């Protein structure tokens, strides 16, 4: 199934910090808004669930604004470093310099906080500081939109970081007089990208060639997958599975089937490069594990430009020819090739594959202590979960009982942060819920 662009009118729900003592967000006041209603704000955070389409929305909005003849840029936060000029995906370094030399407004879409934090805990701070320094002379003319998964956003520290390094002052008097309708509030605006409505799900499915849309939506409801279908990526996975099987399973089942469908054409090819499904899966797992371990999201093609910030698959995939590696990297698991490199197309599939990689190693003789150490550490006499590998752990707890029990004993809420909690045994889910409620009741947690 070929990816298509379906024009949807996405909505943004206002959010706000719970209080100075709570480090998470809650629904704020006000009605849901659309892009044209928030794009004139000066500092905006867009929170979204995995697969909700935040990257697509940010990229598309930057392109739309640019098409109107304005300055607009899309930059991945984890690419903001000393090589700032190479970070632009919409817009260019030359256009950025031209904007700095002008008196015009510019729109920046910075994606995504959670990807940046895969590198180091300080990666977001470093990126914001560098970006702020680059734009320092023109910050009052910069409208900055930042995206993040909610579990990666530290509500109060990160908001303080933005306000410190990306401050926004009142416009000049002449500018204010010329445009009194715009939003000049210097505070960071917080929004959640709302899920698709049932009508939008139907529209999306029909664009992807499903003729029996009513049966499809009914199957989603029967399987209790409506929340999954509210996210464009997950909805595309459901559509692919429906077209192939005309039935749906759990979230875990859908992603597993999705991976198999993306790899099937290559394993069945009669061309010179032919890889069996098991080898393809193992290769994808290895690359996903490397992304998890290194925090480097970019994978270089064998004949591409190799650099320290990219993963070289030739080192990892021993015994693979360059043609086999390139064939794997051209499957639907990965984005289109950009600058002789690719990224995993969808983060949750990457996290599931990295969990499978870790699970395989856990089952090898003598490897368990070393692999568990990737996920669990001891700090000041207390067991903690390693932040970088935490997203992978949400899937690994479904594959290994010992890891599951250890993770839930430390942080039972981890099962709600991703993965597929419905696959946990009933008694485990009951104990997990009881533990969470007890910790809230006794105020042992925020």
């Amino acid at each position: 199934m070929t990816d298509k662009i379906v024009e949807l009118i996405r909505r943004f729900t206002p959010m706000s910090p719970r209080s100075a003592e709570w480090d998470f967000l809650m629904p704020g006041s006000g009605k849901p808004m659309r892009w044209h209603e928030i794009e004139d704000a000066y500092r905006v955070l867009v929170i979204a669930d995995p697969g909700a389409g935040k990257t697509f929305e940010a990229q598309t909005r930057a392109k739309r604004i640019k098409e109107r003849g304005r300055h607009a840029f899309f930059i991945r936060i984890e690419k903001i470093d000393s090589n700032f000029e190479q970070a632009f995906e919409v817009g260019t370094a030359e256009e950025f310099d031209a904007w700095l030399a002008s008196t015009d407004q510019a729109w920046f879409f910075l994606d995504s906080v959670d990807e940046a934090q895969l590198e180091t805990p300080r990666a977001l701070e470093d990126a914001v500081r560098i970006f702020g320094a680059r734009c320092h002379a023109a910050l009052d003319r910069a409208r900055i939109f930042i995206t993040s998964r909610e579990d990666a956003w530290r509500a109060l520290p990160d908001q303080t970081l933005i306000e410190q390094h990306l401050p926004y002052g009142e416009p000049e008097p002449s500018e204010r007089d010329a445009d009194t309708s715009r939003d000049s509030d210097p505070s960071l605006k917080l929004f959640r990208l709302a899920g698709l409505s049932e009508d939008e799900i139907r529209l999306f499915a029909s664009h992807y060639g499903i003729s029996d849309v009513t049966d499809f939506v009914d199957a989603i409801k029967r399987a209790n997958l409506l929340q999954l279908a509210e996210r464009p990526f997950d909805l595309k996975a459901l559509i692919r599975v429906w077209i192939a099987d005309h039935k749906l399973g759990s979230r875990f089942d859908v992603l597993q089937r999705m991976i198999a469908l993306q790899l099937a054409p290559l394993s069945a090819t009669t061309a010179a490069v032919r890889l069996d499904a098991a080898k393809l899966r193992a290769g994808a797992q290895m690359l996903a594990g490397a992304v998890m371990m290194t925090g480097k999201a970019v994978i270089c093609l064998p004949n591409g430009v190799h650099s320290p910030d990219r993963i070289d698959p030739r080192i990892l995939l021993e015994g693979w020819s360059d043609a086999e590696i390139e064939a794997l990297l051209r499957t639907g698991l990965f984005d289109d090739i950009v600058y002789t490199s690719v990224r995993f197309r969808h983060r949750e599939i990457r996290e599931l594959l990295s969990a499978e990689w870790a699970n395989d190693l856990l089952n090898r003789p003598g490897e368990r202590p070393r692999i568990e150490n990737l996920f669990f550490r001891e700090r000041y006499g207390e067991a903690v979960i390693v932040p970088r590998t935490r997203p992978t752990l949400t899937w690994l707890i479904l594959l290994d009982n010992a890891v599951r029990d250890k993770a839930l004993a430390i942080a039972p809420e981890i099962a709600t942060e991703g993965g597929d909690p419905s696959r946990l045994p009933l008694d485990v889910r009951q104990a997990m819920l009881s533990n969470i409620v007890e910790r809230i009741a006794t105020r042992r947690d925020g």
Side-chain angles (χ1 to χ4, degrees):
M1 182 177 70
T2 304
D3 276 344
K4 302 177 181 179
I5 296 178
V6 183
E7 294 289 346
L8 299 171
I9 301 175
R10 303 303 299 271
R11 295 171 178 81
F12 302 85
T13 305
M15 303 288 288
S16 65
R18 171 78 164 131
S19 73
E21 300 175 356
W22 294 70
D23 194 20
F24 65 87
L25 303 176
M26 62 178 292
S29 59
K31 63 180 180 63
M33 305 173 76
R34 299 178 180 179
W35 266 122
H36 72 274
E37 296 174 292
I38 70 171
E39 74 172 21
D40 281 341
Y42 274 81
R43 301 292 182 268
V44 175
L45 169 71
V46 175
I47 290 289
D49 294 326
K54 62 183 184 295
T55 298
F56 174 82
E57 286 296 316
Q59 281 180 318
T60 302
R61 202 62 190 174
K63 292 174 182 176
R64 292 281 189 275
I65 293 173
K66 201 167 185 293
E67 288 167 359
R68 299 203 300 261
R70 300 181 176 184
H71 300 280
F73 306 89
F74 174 87
I75 305 173
R76 296 184 191 272
I77 294 176
E78 77 268 21
K79 301 298 289 183
I80 299 177
D81 54 20
S82 56
N83 296 317
F84 181 74
E85 288 73 15
Q86 306 298 319
F88 297 88
E89 292 189 27
V90 174
T92 65
E94 291 75 17
E95 290 171 345
F96 174 78
D97 291 338
W99 166 70
L100 282 178
S102 73
T103 58
D104 299 335
Q105 301 285 313
W107 282 256
F108 292 90
F109 296 85
L110 308 183
D111 182 76
S112 149
V113 168
D114 41 295
E115 289 285 357
Q117 291 178 340
L118 285 175
E119 183 65 33
T120 68
R122 288 181 55 87
L124 175 64
E125 180 179 347
D126 292 342
V128 169
R129 177 176 48 79
I130 291 170
F131 181 75
R134 292 283 185 151
C135 298
H136 179 72
L139 279 172
D140 288 353
R141 296 187 284 112
R143 302 177 192 268
I144 302 171
F145 293 73
I146 299 171
T147 71
S148 176
R149 279 166 57 157
E150 183 167 5
D151 60 333
W153 179 258
R154 302 170 303 159
L156 300 176
D158 288 346
Q159 180 164 344
T160 301
L161 175 70
I162 299 301
E163 292 173 349
Q164 176 183 353
H165 292 286
L166 304 177
Y168 164 68
E170 292 291 336
E172 295 296 324
S174 59
E175 193 177 0
R176 185 189 301 118
D177 295 340
D179 187 5
T180 58
S181 63
R182 76 179 191 184
D183 184 354
S184 61
D185 186 346
S187 63
L188 180 67
K189 307 288 187 183
L190 308 175
F191 294 94
R192 174 186 289 281
L193 179 58
L196 303 182
S197 67
E198 189 171 321
D199 286 342
E200 288 172 324
I201 292 171
R202 292 176 181 276
L203 175 64
F204 200 98
S206 64
H207 271 76
Y208 270 85
I210 290 186
S211 57
D212 50 346
V213 171
T214 299
D215 291 343
F216 173 64
V217 174
D218 287 345
I220 289 174
K221 292 178 178 178
R222 285 197 304 272
N224 197 28
L225 294 171
L226 196 57
Q227 186 174 8
L228 198 69
E230 292 176 350
R231 308 169 186 174
F233 158 62
D234 295 318
L235 179 54
K236 283 193 285 187
L238 292 172
I239 290 170
R240 285 184 171 95
V241 174
W242 181 262
I243 290 174
D245 304 338
H246 211 71
K247 64 179 181 180
L248 300 174
S250 69
R251 181 186 190 82
F252 180 83
D253 295 332
V254 167
L255 293 185
Q256 290 281 12
R257 187 73 176 110
M258 178 66 185
I259 294 170
L261 290 171
Q262 295 285 16
L263 296 177
L266 182 55
S267 62
T269 185
T270 58
V273 176
R274 177 171 181 150
L275 299 170
D276 64 72
K279 184 173 182 177
L280 284 168
R281 186 78 171 227
Q285 291 168 353
M286 178 72 75
L287 294 177
V291 173
M292 174 191 71
M293 291 301 303
T294 65
K296 300 174 183 178
V298 179
I299 304 168
C300 190
L301 267 65
N303 61 349
V305 177
H306 296 268
S307 60
D309 63 337
R310 298 181 179 189
I311 291 173
D312 184 349
R314 298 173 301 178
I315 297 174
L316 300 170
L317 303 179
E318 295 183 10
W320 288 55
S321 69
D322 286 358
E324 289 173 331
I325 293 173
E326 183 158 341
L328 171 61
L329 297 181
R330 288 180 180 275
T331 66
L333 292 180
F334 301 91
D335 275 329
D336 295 336
I337 296 172
V338 178
Y339 301 125
T340 69
S341 63
V342 299
R343 304 161 61 101
F344 275 95
R345 186 176 297 275
H346 299 297
R347 179 166 178 170
E348 281 197 292
I349 280 182
R350 186 187 76 200
E351 291 165 355
L352 174 55
L353 287 168
S354 67
E356 293 176 351
W357 169 80
N359 185 57
D360 177 64
L361 294 178
L362 283 168
N363 291 315
R364 297 182 184 181
E367 288 293 311
R368 180 168 291 272
R370 184 172 69 91
I371 300 306
E372 286 194 0
N373 193 52
L374 302 177
F375 299 91
F376 307 105
R377 299 284 172 82
E378 188 170 302
R379 293 287 185 269
Y380 307 107
E382 183 176 349
V384 298
I385 293 173
V386 178
R388 175 181 286 179
T389 57
R390 188 176 180 118
T392 292
L393 192 57
T394 65
W395 291 105
L396 188 56
I397 62 175
L398 306 180
L399 306 176
D400 187 277
N401 292 345
V403 168
R404 177 197 69 200
D405 293 342
K406 192 169 185 177
L408 295 183
I410 298 172
E413 70 277 6
I414 194 171
T416 68
E417 295 173 2
D420 186 355
S422 70
R423 291 186 64 87
L424 292 171
L426 179 59
D427 61 327
V428 171
R429 282 181 280 153
Q430 289 173 328
M432 179 184 72
L433 181 59
S434 176
N435 191 316
I436 292 174
V437 172
E438 179 186 359
R439 288 165 67 174
I440 294 173
T442 57
R443 298 190 176 183
R444 281 191 285 153
D445 278 334

